[in-house]
Amino acid sequence: MKTREPFKWVAVGTIWTWLALFALLPNAMVLVASVLERGQDQFFAFAFTLASYRRLLDPLYLSVLLDSLYLAALTTVLCLLIGYPFAYLLAQAPARRRALLLLLVIIPFWTSSLVRTYAMVILLKTNGLINQMLLGLGWISEPLELLYTTPAVIAGMCYALLPFMILPLYAALEKLDRRLIEAAHDLGAGRVTIFRRVIIPLTLPGIIAGAMLTFLPALGMFYVADLLGGAKTMLVGNLIRDQFLAARDWPFGSAASAMLTGLMALLMWAYYQSSRRANRGALP
Amino acid sequence: MSVKRAARIAYLLLIYGFLYLPILVLVVYSFNDSKYSLEWRGLTWDWYQALLDDPDLWQVALNSALIATLSATVATVIGTMAAVALYRYRFFGKTLLNGLVFVLMLTPDIVMGIALLILFTSLSLPLGFWTLLLAHITFSIPFVVVSVLSRISGFDRYLIEAAKDLGASEFQTFRRVLLPMLAPAVLAGWLLSFTLSMDDVMVSFFVTGPSFEILPLKIYSMVRLGVTPEINALCTLMLGVTLSMVLVAQALLRDRGT
């Protein structure tokens, strides 16, 4: 006997309809838009062209692209180098203190990155806190130009994105099976070998997840580049925004955005592969 | 051994300092009685008073609160039902739906922003309240799904079987058995959605028009003109809202219930 289950159909129907309309359809439209020509009065003219993708390789835009990829990669590596030992210590902390320590990472995770970027501006301004302190200590005689520099953008992105690196790393390190480390130790592996051949491969899914949550936003956060980099630094995000709001070249902006989606797909594939490998190595 | 321990604690403190010091400076300066310099000139409420006296700002704050409340509520309803469906039923495209929820959560904000902008423009929807609401519901849904799913996975399936054996319909099972047990996670999902909506800059930047201004975008345009104590005060208030929402949400999520 087949029972009627209206609740099931309402629940499944609603979520499917919503995601189809507001997630699948818009992203499909971006892909289509990226291969259309730029229109005269409309944003698009319905003719197929790969011109927008070719323009991404134009030296003018290619340099923005490469600079932005470099900044995002640097931010990701810095967050990983800072975040990995931190997450490791967090996972080792005694259980009763761990909840509080973790909460202190979760709070900035949810806090507005705009507000946090603005907090960085206060610190780095010409008459900001850091310059005042250095002047006060007599270490410098002239205030340093800290704001509107590339290092300021990197610092701001690390500041905004560090919690997004720490949390997935922590999740991976917390699950780490101590027995595997002991087994490696008993088999005569040194500390470096254990770290390189056991701990890193087993936490690789966490590393890739953290890299995904750091690298992709670091390409897009145009307000960090605006507020901390002035007009000097441009990210893919600034490029996309300008195409949609100033230059009105929507096909080109769509192509740049499709490229970000492609990068995301690549990282998700890497994550999938690494977690399969990590699970295969796990003890029952 | 104790040197090692001290080094560990020092490292943790250093990173926590990095995470919290800038925010702390912002909060402290929002009470500083000096318009231009960083010098401490004593405590004042003036900057908060200035915010309260600004009728435009009130309107913008109300707009934000309205969008956050509505989008969190709709996202919570859809997200909770979706999580229950993902847990309980087999249906066409279930794996795909599961994947889609995670992809949506990982999608860079700027990608989602322009995708929705293209959609809304193609449908000739004027950018403003409605487009903003639809966008905020969309990016909030995955967080509700994940928050509810994380609690539901620990459930005893026999409770649901028992409800069925006693003749409960699917909706009755949802309403009388699942929902009461899920309540903390559902509420946490709502609070986190509210926070996401209140803080979003990137998606909103593309999908709202001048007719409907919201706080994060207002702050963004103010901040671009420079640092002022009024912005410090406004940002401190935003921090306060986020902090209280997140603390309650985390307490709810940690409570494993009985």
Side-chain angles (χ1 to χ4, degrees):
Chain A
M1 188 184 81
K2 195 168 164 61
T3 50
R4 282 154 55 89
E5 294 169 346
F7 173 76
K8 171 181 169 181
W9 297 116
V10 170
V12 174
T14 313
I15 184 72
W16 255 126
T17 311
W18 195 280
L19 293 188
L21 263 178
F22 299 111
L24 288 176
L25 179 64
N27 280 298
M29 288 172 100
V30 172
L31 283 181
V32 172
S34 71
V35 294
L36 290 180
E37 274 175 20
R38 197 175 167 182
Q40 290 297 328
D41 342 293
Q42 299 262 298
F43 291 118
F44 307 107
F46 286 89
F48 177 83
T49 175
L50 287 175
S52 298
Y53 287 95
R54 247 177 269 130
R55 271 183 74 198
L56 282 173
L57 300 174
D58 180 300
L60 179 67
Y61 298 110
L62 192 64
S63 73
V64 172
L65 222 63
L66 292 178
D67 283 355
S68 181
L69 285 171
Y70 169 73
L71 282 182
L74 191 60
T75 302
T76 307
V77 170
L78 283 172
C79 283
L80 183 62
L81 290 179
I82 300 169
Y84 202 96
F86 184 82
Y88 190 82
L89 294 180
L90 219 57
Q92 301 254 300
R96 68 202 146 80
R97 240 175 272 149
R98 214 184 300 161
L100 177 67
L101 291 176
L102 195 60
L103 183 65
L104 287 173
V105 183
I106 292 173
I107 291 167
F109 178 92
W110 285 100
T111 304
S112 157
S113 345
L114 175 66
V115 170
R116 302 203 306 128
T117 306
Y118 173 68
M120 269 318 232
V121 176
I122 300 183
L123 286 192
L124 297 177
K125 277 195 319 172
T126 311
N127 59 352
L129 195 71
I130 291 182
N131 269 322
Q132 297 287 330
M133 268 170 54
L134 291 175
L135 284 170
L137 287 168
W139 289 7
I140 53 173
S141 50
E142 292 272 301
L144 303 170
E145 287 295 326
L146 298 169
L147 203 55
Y148 307 133
T149 60
T150 306
V153 176
I154 297 169
M157 292 205 294
C158 284
Y159 181 58
L161 296 169
L162 186 60
F164 292 78
M165 176 63 91
I166 292 174
L167 289 178
L169 285 178
Y170 171 78
L173 282 159
E174 195 211 12
K175 273 197 313 211
L176 191 67
D177 193 338
R178 308 287 309 170
R179 289 176 298 167
L180 289 167
I181 297 171
E182 282 158 24
H185 187 78
D186 292 345
L187 291 168
R191 297 178 60 170
V192 177
T193 314
I194 292 178
F195 183 67
R196 205 168 56 83
R197 309 258 326 247
V198 181
I199 299 182
I200 293 271
L202 284 175
T203 54
L204 196 58
I207 296 175
I208 297 177
M212 194 153 35
L213 291 179
T214 319
F215 185 72
L216 294 173
L219 290 168
M221 295 172 98
F222 56 77
Y223 52 90
V224 178
D226 278 357
L227 298 179
L228 293 169
K232 289 181 202 160
T233 315
M234 216 166 142
L235 308 178
V236 177
N238 300 66
L239 181 75
I240 296 177
R241 178 200 57 189
D242 293 349
Q243 297 312 312
F244 276 87
L245 284 126
R248 297 263 157 193
D249 189 343
W250 287 29
F252 185 47
S254 301
S257 167
M259 195 199 66
L260 287 189
T261 309
L263 276 174
M264 175 174 76
L266 204 68
L267 285 166
M268 288 182 73
W269 178 80
Y271 174 79
Y272 177 70
Q273 293 295 329
S274 71
S275 63
R276 261 183 44 183
R277 284 192 55 184
N279 284 335
R280 225 178 15 228
L283 289 178
Chain B
M1 192 59 208
S2 72
V3 175
K4 206 168 148 190
R5 201 178 125 79
R8 288 172 169 214
I9 293 174
Y11 186 71
L12 286 174
L13 284 177
L14 184 73
I15 303 304
Y16 282 122
F18 175 59
L19 287 175
Y20 282 92
L21 219 57
I23 301 180
L24 212 63
V25 170
L26 165 69
V27 173
V28 169
Y29 277 112
S30 76
F31 296 104
N32 186 13
D33 194 5
S34 153
K35 179 104 189 156
Y36 298 107
S37 91
L38 272 177
E39 228 175 299
W40 184 256
R41 296 250 174 88
L43 212 64
T44 179
W45 289 100
D46 285 1
W47 317 123
Y48 290 91
Q49 193 59 50
L51 295 181
L52 292 178
D53 293 343
D54 184 344
D56 284 347
L57 199 61
W58 271 105
Q59 186 56 51
V60 174
L62 275 175
N63 286 351
S64 268
L66 182 65
I67 286 285
T69 309
L70 290 176
S71 69
T73 306
V74 178
T76 303
V77 172
I78 298 177
T80 304
M81 291 199 306
V84 170
L86 280 170
Y87 172 72
R88 293 208 48 198
Y89 307 126
R90 290 160 182 276
F91 53 87
F92 177 73
K94 178 174 171 168
T95 318
L96 185 64
L97 182 66
N98 211 345
L100 203 57
V101 168
F102 282 93
V103 172
L104 192 59
M105 200 154 57
L106 290 172
T107 304
D109 288 348
I110 192 159
V111 173
M112 192 186 293
I114 63 139
L116 287 169
L117 172 63
I118 292 180
L119 174 78
F120 295 145
T121 315
S122 313
L123 295 173
S124 308
L125 284 176
L127 298 179
F129 173 79
W130 289 104
T131 49
L132 202 62
L133 183 61
L134 291 171
H136 283 211
I137 293 169
T138 305
F139 67 61
S140 299
I141 286 175
F143 291 89
V144 178
V145 173
V146 168
S147 145
V148 174
L149 264 183
S150 74
R151 187 177 174 92
I152 215 173
S153 322
F155 273 6
D156 194 346
R157 278 194 186 254
Y158 292 121
L159 274 171
I160 300 167
E161 296 299 322
K164 263 186 153 171
D165 289 347
L166 292 170
S169 73
E170 285 299 315
F171 181 71
Q172 282 171 324
T173 311
F174 173 70
R175 173 73 189 76
R176 304 267 172 184
V177 182
L178 282 171
L179 210 52
M181 293 195 294
L182 286 175
V186 172
L187 193 55
W190 190 90
L191 292 167
L192 295 179
S193 300
F194 187 93
T195 312
L196 277 177
S197 171
M198 281 300 272
D199 289 344
D200 176 70
V201 182
M202 293 258 252
V203 178
S204 306
F205 186 87
F206 292 101
V207 299
T208 192
S211 65
F212 196 80
E213 216 182 347
I214 52 167
L215 264 183
L217 292 179
K218 172 91 178 171
I219 293 177
Y220 183 43
S221 62
M222 285 164 83
V223 165
R224 279 208 280 191
L225 300 175
V227 173
T228 68
E230 286 92 347
I231 307 178
N232 295 351
L234 189 52
C235 287
T236 303
L237 290 177
M238 298 279 286
L239 284 170
V241 172
T242 309
L243 184 68
S244 39
M245 294 265 163
V246 172
L247 286 180
V248 176
Q250 288 302 317
L252 287 167
L253 284 174
R254 186 151 318 130
D255 166 36
R256 289 271 123 213
T258 41

